[in-house]
Amino acid sequence: MNIKVWDDKYLITSDKLCYTLKEIKTRQSKDDEENSLETQANSDGTYETAIAYHDTVAGCFRTIVEREGRQNKCTTLDGYIKHLNSVSDKLETNLKKFEK
């Protein structure tokens, strides 16, 4: 398996033992080098960094939701609730695409 999800921001791969969730990033400059051994460079100027290993695809989506929920610049509770609702909506959209 090698499936991009969440507006091509994440990649779920698999082998016979587990599912690997990777984040796809764009290489900015040589100063932006990842120190991780889990980084894979692509020919289009992006790279993939493994961020989680799971025994189910659902675990991969849980990790994405947790990460996306924390990544915000909200300054009010109402703003944070809107952000979480947006993450929830995006999860539903991605799950529908994944089920097809």
Side-chain angles (χ1 to χ4, degrees), residues 12-100:
I12 298 174
T13 63
S14 66
D15 59 24
K16 62 182 181 177
L17 299 176
C18 70
Y19 296 95
T20 304
L21 177 63
K22 299 177 181 180
E23 185 172 16
I24 302 171
K25 297 182 179 182
T26 303
R27 183 148 330 270
Q28 299 295 325
S29 67
K30 294 203 181 242
D31 295 337
D32 191 29
E33 295 290 326
E34 283 285 321
N35 293 327
S36 171
L37 296 175
E38 297 295 327
T39 300
Q40 176 183 343
N42 298 322
S43 61
D44 63 354
T46 63
Y47 63 98
E48 301 163 6
T49 303
I51 55 175
Y53 300 92
H54 292 284
D55 57 352
T56 65
V57 172
C60 293
F61 279 107
R62 272 193 297 277
T63 297
I64 292 171
V65 168
E66 288 172 6
R67 287 173 61 91
E68 293 295 316
R70 287 190 302 262
Q71 295 175 1
N72 66 79
K73 296 181 181 178
C74 299
T75 58
T76 66
L77 184 57
D78 286 339
Y80 186 61
I81 290 170
K82 288 178 184 176
H83 172 73
L84 292 179
N85 286 333
S86 171
V87 169
S88 178
D89 291 344
K90 192 169 247 184
L91 174 63
E92 285 186 37
T93 302
N94 278 272
L95 289 177
K96 287 178 184 174
K97 288 180 185 177
F98 193 81
E99 290 174 349
K100 289 182 181 180

